[in-house]
Amino acid sequence: MVDVLVTNGPMLIAIAAAFGFLMAWGIGANDVANTMGTSVGSNAITIKQAIIIAMIFEFAGAYLAGGEVTSTIRKGIIDSAYFVDSPELLVYGMIAALLAAGIWLVLASALGWPVSTTHSIVGAIVGFAAVGVSVDSVAWGKVVGIIGSWVVTPAISGFIAFMIFQSVQKLIFNTANPLENAKRYVPFYMGLAGFVMSLVTIKKGLKHVGLHFSNVEAYALAAAIAVLVGLAGMVAIKRLKMSAKADLQTQFGNVEKVFAILMVVTACCMAFAHGSNDVANAIGPLAAVVSVVQSGGEISSKAPLVWWILPLGAVGIVMGLAIFGKRVMQTIGKNITHLTPSRGFAAELAAASTVVIASGTGLPISTTQTLVGAVLGVGMARGIAAINIGVVRNIVVSWVVTLPAGAALSIIFFYIIKGIFS
């Protein structure tokens, strides 16, 4: 059956590229809206600014640092040994998975549900492999691990967000002179954000550009960047126009202004981390298709990325956000709990830290669940009444539905594509 790949090769690659673009578009509409939702929801930046920031940093993250996760999604979940005799099934399946996950993401975005793009594509891949090929071809242990991450990731990020928010309350808001304390402590928060963000960039991003650092060098460099960011923060805060009226309400307003600056920094970094982590969901299956077709049916565990794949994913992500990202932003930023810049900052820094921890361990986490967990953590710090339980319930239901929805759609498309080509 390898001749199917030879005769229809270019066509299969073109279809995969189109569906890969749809998937990237869905990631932009859904996931990137998550990473920007807190900044927009807390009014630190406008939607227009969010889109511009995301365009630059998502693209940079996807393009510079997007190579690492591609292989884990691909070779971890299904066993390629089952496809050696019929590589065309892997090609059909990956195309079906991209279309299935892409459609589900666009649908979820239209409803304003922040679902996980990682789980959409995982569900889709599991679906076609288990039903279309063999139940044994799926590494069910990995799937269980991913389902486990539904609980673990939001819990970790929620806890970190809770702690950061509590520390901000203690050191700044619940003091006699919040503004003075903000000037004193906020540069440290900025430095911490700089440290976390630069670490993910150095450890994940730069090796694709050919720069390799040892752990010691990476941490030293991240620390140096943290100091610079902190110093820049001090300068920026000094230059802020603060109203001289010293009543507490005004001071709180001024402190939030300071955090609004921070939010912009974390939003940029969050977008970068997200681009590097989640572009793999769109380009992994596409890279697999291209590699199998071009090698005439040979399945290798690592798919080398052809030059046009990363930009395709990056452009798709940016367009999805710009055209379709508003609704999910609304859910994350406004509907779960009332966010101010200081709360949004706590949530974003926590989410970013969790992403760093996870990408260090190679876990396919969901940035969505990380961020929702972090926003919940901030809400919890203010008491359970501060959380909109109805919205949270809908979000959790949409998470549970994502895997089976991706799987069901993928199975249908797999048989259609198989019917067309064989």
Side-chain angles (χ1 to χ4, degrees):
M1 286 299 287
V2 175
D3 44 348
V4 175
L5 297 182
V6 178
T7 44
N8 300 321
M11 189 172 169
L12 287 166
I13 289 181
I15 295 171
F19 294 166
F21 186 80
L22 172 74
M23 171 76 188
W25 201 87
I27 293 176
N30 202 294
D31 259 23
V32 183
N34 294 321
T35 55
M36 288 292 153
T38 42
S39 310
V40 175
S42 62
N43 299 325
I45 52 177
T46 63
I47 286 211
K48 208 178 196 170
Q49 289 165 328
I51 289 170
I52 292 166
I53 289 176
M55 282 179 171
I56 298 166
F57 287 92
E58 285 279 339
F59 192 90
Y63 197 69
L64 294 175
E68 176 152 0
V69 195
T70 312
S71 56
T72 40
I73 289 287
R74 243 203 81 198
K75 65 169 193 275
I77 290 158
I78 49 176
D79 181 359
S80 56
Y82 285 84
F83 297 91
V84 171
D85 297 329
S86 47
E88 72 283 354
L89 292 184
L90 183 64
V91 172
Y92 302 157
M94 287 298 185
I95 292 175
L98 283 171
L99 180 58
I103 288 177
W104 171 247
L105 285 175
V106 172
L107 181 72
S109 306
L111 294 166
W113 292 347
V115 296
S116 161
T117 49
T118 310
H119 298 162
S120 311
I121 194 72
V122 166
I125 291 174
V126 167
F128 89 80
V131 175
V133 184
S134 156
V135 178
D136 301 333
S137 67
V138 177
W140 293 105
K142 286 270 169 73
V143 178
V144 171
I146 289 168
I147 294 174
S149 75
W150 293 355
V151 183
V152 178
T153 344
I156 296 174
S157 66
F159 175 72
I160 298 175
F162 183 89
M163 298 309 286
I164 294 173
F165 182 68
Q166 289 289 36
S167 74
V168 171
Q169 291 293 69
K170 244 187 196 58
L171 294 173
I172 298 172
F173 285 102
N174 299 346
T175 58
N177 198 338
L179 195 55
E180 276 311 303
N181 285 325
K183 288 180 175 170
R184 184 175 305 141
Y185 291 117
V186 167
F188 288 105
Y189 287 110
M190 292 179 122
L192 179 63
F195 180 74
V196 170
M197 302 299 182
S198 50
L199 200 57
V200 72
T201 314
I202 294 162
K203 300 209 37 119
K204 287 189 58 160
L206 297 179
K207 51 166 113 68
H208 302 295
V209 206
L211 293 171
H212 295 271
F213 292 100
S214 70
N215 275 346
V216 179
E217 289 169 338
Y219 281 100
L221 190 57
I225 292 169
V227 172
L228 287 175
V229 172
L231 291 172
M234 283 170 82
V235 175
I237 292 166
K238 284 212 170 69
R239 294 181 59 175
L240 267 186
K241 297 275 179 286
M242 301 287 188
S243 36
K245 289 203 312 266
D247 67 335
L248 273 180
Q249 221 35 53
T250 321
Q251 289 204 24
F252 284 151
N254 286 334
V255 173
E256 291 295 357
K257 271 189 203 150
V258 176
F259 275 102
I261 298 181
L262 255 184
M263 281 292 282
V264 178
V265 179
T266 50
C268 296
C269 300
M270 208 44 205
F272 185 90
H274 178 265
S276 67
N277 200 32
D278 278 32
V279 71
N281 295 332
I283 64 172
L286 175 56
V289 170
V290 174
S291 124
V292 172
V293 170
Q294 288 186 343
S295 64
E298 188 186 316
I299 299 171
S300 54
S301 63
K302 280 256 196 265
L305 286 183
V306 188
W307 66 270
W308 53 267
I309 292 182
L310 267 175
L312 176 97
V315 170
I317 285 180
V318 166
M319 282 181 65
L321 169 78
I323 298 165
F324 218 60
K326 231 177 190 151
R327 289 181 179 170
V328 181
M329 277 196 203
Q330 178 77 23
T331 304
I332 290 270
K334 295 262 202 276
N335 299 355
I336 297 178
T337 187
H338 175 64
L339 287 177
T340 59
S342 59
R343 293 168 195 162
F345 165 72
E348 270 191 10
L349 184 58
S353 308
T354 313
V355 170
V356 172
I357 295 165
S359 58
T361 51
L363 273 177
I365 59 152
S366 152
T367 34
T368 310
Q369 291 171 346
T370 314
L371 197 75
V372 170
V375 172
L376 279 175
V378 171
M380 293 294 264
R382 297 169 51 226
I384 196 88
I387 296 173
N388 184 336
I389 299 295
V391 172
V392 176
R393 189 186 54 230
N394 288 349
I395 290 175
V396 172
V397 169
S398 72
W399 288 356
V400 175
V401 174
T402 296
L403 264 176
L409 286 170
S410 155
I411 291 163
I412 297 165
F413 296 141
F414 175 70
Y415 282 113
I416 294 174
I417 294 166
K418 192 175 164 186
I420 293 170
F421 282 102
S422 44

